[in-house]
Amino acid sequence: MTLNEMITSSGEWLRGTGPESEIVISSRARLARNITGLHFITKMEPSERATCEEMIQRRILEAKIAQPGFYIPLHKADPMDRKFLVERHLISKEHEDSQHPRGVYIGGNEAVAIMVNEEDHIRLQVMQSGFQLQEAWRLCNQIDDELEERLDYAFSPQLGYLTACPTNVGTGLRVSVMLHLPALVLTRHIEKVFQAVSKINLAVRGLYGEGTEASGHFYQISNQVTLGRNENEIVQNVEHVIPTIARYEHNARQTLLAKDRKRLEDRVWRAYGMLKYAQLLPSDEAMMLLSAVRMGVHLGLLKDLSLRAVNELFIFIQPAHLQKLTGRALEPVDRDVRRAEYVRTKLGQCKQ
Amino acid sequence: MGMKCDVENCDNEATVHLTEIREGKKHEMHLCERCAAEKGLPGKAHFSISDLLAGIASQAQAQAQKGRRGKEAVCPACGTSLSQFQSSGRFGCAECYTAFKDDVMGLAEKIHDSSQHVGKAPKRVSSDVSLQKEIRQLQVELKRAIRREDYEKAAAMRDQIKHLEENLKAGPPEMPQPAEDKPGETPAGPGGHAKKPEGGEKK
């Protein structure tokens, strides 16, 4: 698999399968690690960064982790490819933007991404489709063990794994679950979710806020605390709250259906109609319309359209995806044309 | 329609909703894409660390005034000063955690409500960790023995702690580090920094 082949496929975590997949898009576990004896990235000379990057890259490839993959040196990559990887959730916006030698290992059909020389020397992430946080953590832990045999991590018995930012110190573990909550937004009950999770020290973030265009009723829930609790407690703490939120969302969808069925059907079908016939589709608008369509698919209002197809559309209508699909850079207005064309084609392929 | 952006004079619809929890209180922001991007949000998990760091900054200044010739505390290994850390929120190296230990502990308590790691440890140090745990336990008991004026027991404990500390320094003999046995396979290869303690030689 190469980066250019990724444009014709989609990652493991977008499959639209797994527990609660009509509401939970994906589950993610991420570990921050640094190499002992080396300065953190910000304090490194350019030459040190280069040697560090090469060394870690070599060690990752030598480790032959169970998820076969490939390594991309990002400082040598095309800027469009870096944007593409951000849209794919395989690298962070910061990793896209920085200048120094850095890279990413992508394995297991995009389930695994190991960022090298990001804020920490190593950022290891595992993503799974649906509500599978335990599985994401299990794999992440396993890969961490494999890497640890070849890399000497900075660690203190008191403070655990030492990270560039003290918000990650300890386990270095951040777990998050990506949720699609359109009905809670429509019924204005989303506040309850925020209240519920804030009580247990979790963070809620919008999803596609990271930098550029669009939203789509996606929310990400993650832990804030990384020290003083072990990894299983951290996973369980986030895991624990998800079924409740999913139930709220289910109830809200059912309430909308029961109380105002015509209005909901109208919303879903209008969104579908717009997507199917629009000639110019700005990103924001497309995301909101897709959000309604996604809910319509789950509620059985729109048949013959799969969650996977809709999930993929959310990603493939992003700017870098569209431009890579087209094979050249596009001005924003041309992107809107291309986006509309792409969505029309995709929806046309699914009979309705 | 939806909620409007929180930024003054901005009429766009808020599509980025950020909830932060600071000291047990919920803070919310509702922004449009453009204003969110301008604020550099959301992206990272920077939850108001600047607020926490503000406290440290004043401590750093107080320290600098107190210190001889007004010199501020600096990490001997990488040269990061406390005020640099305060403005960036990032340490320069692992040694910073030792150099700014007091501040780090206070900060850890504020962020994580804890200053003691209880999770996973690299295999190479997990035996060290249990040793250290044992030493800490013994130190507690030693204090108790002294309070009880049980000097015989206290002396025995002191010897035991000393013994364990020597073990800790010597490193676990039964734990070879496989990657290091082979030439050219030093874990942190570049520049031979691998086992060099951060400090001294580096400018």
Side-chain angles (χ1 to χ4, degrees):
Chain A
M1 175 74 79
T2 64
L3 193 134
N4 283 330
E5 284 163 23
M6 280 166 61
I7 191 67
T8 53
S9 68
S10 74
E12 183 65 15
W13 60 272
L14 259 182
R15 273 185 303 146
T17 56
E20 302 275 7
S21 55
E22 61 280 0
I23 287 167
V24 184
I25 309 281
S26 62
S27 305
R28 185 182 79 125
R30 184 227 72 191
L31 286 171
R33 299 286 188 252
N34 287 283
I35 311 299
T36 191
L38 294 182
H39 286 163
F40 294 155
I41 299 298
T42 50
K43 274 282 172 182
M44 273 185 172
E45 299 295 327
S47 65
E48 282 181 297
R49 287 177 180 176
T51 16
C52 177
E53 191 252 341
E54 279 163 29
M55 184 273 291
I56 296 173
Q57 171 193 351
R58 206 169 57 236
R59 292 291 141 83
I60 292 172
L61 295 174
E62 280 169 8
K64 294 200 168 45
I65 59 169
Q67 296 75 18
F70 58 101
Y71 185 88
I72 305 171
L74 289 170
H75 49 293
K76 296 175 190 158
D78 186 277
M80 190 70 82
D81 287 346
R82 292 200 289 264
K83 281 201 179 6
F84 173 81
L85 293 170
V86 173
E87 291 173 0
R88 214 57 169 234
H89 294 268
L90 294 169
I91 65 170
S92 63
K93 190 92 184 77
E94 289 75 5
H95 211 40
E96 177 205 340
D97 292 339
S98 54
Q99 303 290 326
H100 59 263
R102 65 201 189 282
V104 63
Y105 172 89
I106 297 167
N109 194 16
E110 300 178 41
V112 177
I114 311 174
M115 283 189 277
V116 177
N117 281 9
E118 207 244 18
E119 182 181 299
D120 296 294
H121 296 144
I122 293 178
R123 286 283 179 98
L124 161 62
Q125 130 177 331
V126 173
M127 284 238 266
Q128 296 283 295
S129 177
F131 184 30
Q132 297 194 77
L133 210 48
Q134 293 279 357
E135 179 61 9
W137 161 242
R138 195 187 63 78
L139 278 174
C140 197
N141 192 22
Q142 204 178 338
I143 298 167
D144 184 52
D145 284 345
E146 288 168 35
L147 294 181
E148 183 210 294
E149 285 181 18
R150 285 155 198 281
L151 293 161
D152 220 351
Y153 289 150
F155 181 88
S156 115
Q158 165 113 48
L159 288 167
Y161 292 91
L162 302 175
T163 52
C165 181
T167 50
N168 294 310
V169 80
T171 56
L173 176 64
R174 185 99 46 215
V175 296
S176 62
V177 174
M178 196 196 292
L179 300 161
H180 185 223
L181 305 173
L184 284 175
V185 176
L186 280 176
T187 56
R188 299 180 186 278
H189 282 112
I190 196 79
E191 287 301 304
K192 281 188 189 164
V193 174
F194 292 157
Q195 281 162 15
V197 301
S198 68
K199 277 187 194 145
I200 50 170
N201 255 341
L202 301 179
V204 187
R205 291 192 174 75
L207 172 67
Y208 287 105
E210 46 200 11
T212 48
E213 302 155 57
S215 166
H217 302 141
F218 287 105
Y219 294 88
Q220 203 164 247
I221 294 188
S222 61
N223 64 302
Q224 305 246 48
V225 169
T226 56
L227 179 70
R229 289 180 196 174
N230 70 34
E231 290 81 359
N232 287 328
E233 289 168 332
I234 290 170
V235 170
Q236 282 163 15
N237 203 10
V238 173
E239 198 178 34
H240 186 73
V241 77
I242 303 302
T244 314
I245 300 174
R247 202 173 57 241
Y248 279 161
E249 171 65 21
H250 271 297
N251 290 346
R253 290 183 188 187
Q254 292 307 323
T255 307
L256 286 172
L257 211 51
K259 283 196 177 156
D260 223 349
R261 187 177 183 105
K262 265 297 154 222
R263 194 177 295 275
L264 184 65
E265 283 179 347
D266 183 63
R267 181 184 283 271
V268 169
W269 280 105
R270 272 173 190 271
Y272 182 78
M274 299 264 265
L275 288 170
K276 198 153 180 187
Y277 296 104
Q279 298 294 313
L280 276 173
L281 257 186
S283 184
D284 273 9
E285 188 186 355
M287 295 293 280
M288 293 317 270
L289 295 173
L290 279 171
S291 175
V293 163
R294 194 178 189 279
M295 178 164 62
V297 170
H298 167 229
L299 293 175
L301 302 175
L302 288 171
K303 302 190 171 69
D304 299 328
L305 200 56
S306 68
L307 276 184
R308 178 182 191 139
V310 185
N311 283 356
E312 287 178 355
L313 276 173
F314 276 111
I315 300 293
F316 277 77
I317 60 161
Q318 301 296 320
H321 271 74
L322 284 177
Q323 292 174 86
K324 275 189 77 73
L325 280 167
T326 314
R328 64 190 162 87
L330 297 170
E331 292 298 311
V333 67
D334 297 329
R335 268 184 243 161
D336 293 349
V337 173
R338 181 73 182 97
R339 183 176 293 113
E341 192 183 284
Y342 181 78
V343 173
R344 284 202 309 273
T345 314
K346 281 285 161 188
L347 291 184
Q349 284 166 3
C350 314
K351 78 176 157 62
Q352 179 65 52
Chain B
M1 275 315 281
M3 204 176 284
K4 277 198 179 160
C5 179
D6 284 351
V7 174
E8 222 173 315
N9 300 325
C10 178
D11 275 332
N12 295 337
E13 192 185 344
T15 51
V16 177
H17 307 278
L18 195 79
T19 303
E20 298 180 324
I21 297 111
R22 275 182 243 144
E23 294 168 1
K25 276 197 191 140
K26 192 179 64 157
H27 299 264
E28 291 183 19
M29 255 191 282
H30 306 280
L31 302 167
C32 70
E33 292 295 329
R34 207 167 45 94
C35 296
E38 271 173 21
K39 284 180 186 285
L41 289 169
K44 278 262 157 126
H46 293 305
F47 69 90
S48 70
I49 187 159
S50 52
D51 283 7
L52 294 172
L53 294 171
I56 285 201
S58 53
Q59 282 171 35
Q61 279 157 8
Q63 224 177 50
Q65 279 161 9
K66 227 174 19 180
R68 270 179 230 158
R69 296 187 201 115
K71 263 193 188 161
E72 197 192 349
V74 161
C75 171
C78 71
T80 298
S81 69
L82 206 48
S83 55
Q84 274 169 350
F85 167 65
Q86 183 260 324
S87 63
S88 71
R90 305 285 180 280
F91 285 128
C93 71
E95 294 300 316
C96 290
Y97 280 93
T98 315
F100 309 124
K101 193 162 200 279
D102 293 345
D103 300 289
V104 165
M105 294 303 165
L107 194 59
E109 285 290 346
K110 278 184 190 157
I111 302 172
H112 303 288
D113 210 12
S114 168
S115 53
Q116 179 60 54
H117 176 59
V118 290
K120 183 178 182 177
K123 285 189 196 80
R124 121 192 106 77
V125 291
S126 48
S127 58
D128 281 10
V129 172
S130 56
L131 262 185
Q132 267 157 345
K133 228 182 222 166
E134 207 177 324
I135 292 172
R136 274 200 301 274
Q137 189 60 40
L138 279 170
Q139 281 164 338
V140 172
E141 285 172 35
L142 172 66
K143 273 186 193 154
R144 267 192 220 133
I146 293 171
R147 221 177 295 139
R148 284 200 312 270
E149 301 189 357
D150 184 350
Y151 297 115
E152 200 175 322
K153 193 161 184 200
M157 282 183 170
R158 188 201 53 208
D159 292 346
Q160 206 180 339
I161 290 171
K162 210 172 151 194
H163 175 72
L164 289 178
E165 277 174 346
E166 272 160 14
N167 276 355
L168 200 58
K169 264 184 223 153
E174 79 283 12
M175 287 287 293
Q177 291 176 22
E180 279 191 353
D181 294 341
K182 299 169 219 152
E185 284 263 303
T186 332
H193 290 297
K195 287 282 133 187
K196 197 193 292 173
E198 288 274 351
E201 293 129 273
K202 214 169 241 169
K203 276 267 142 74

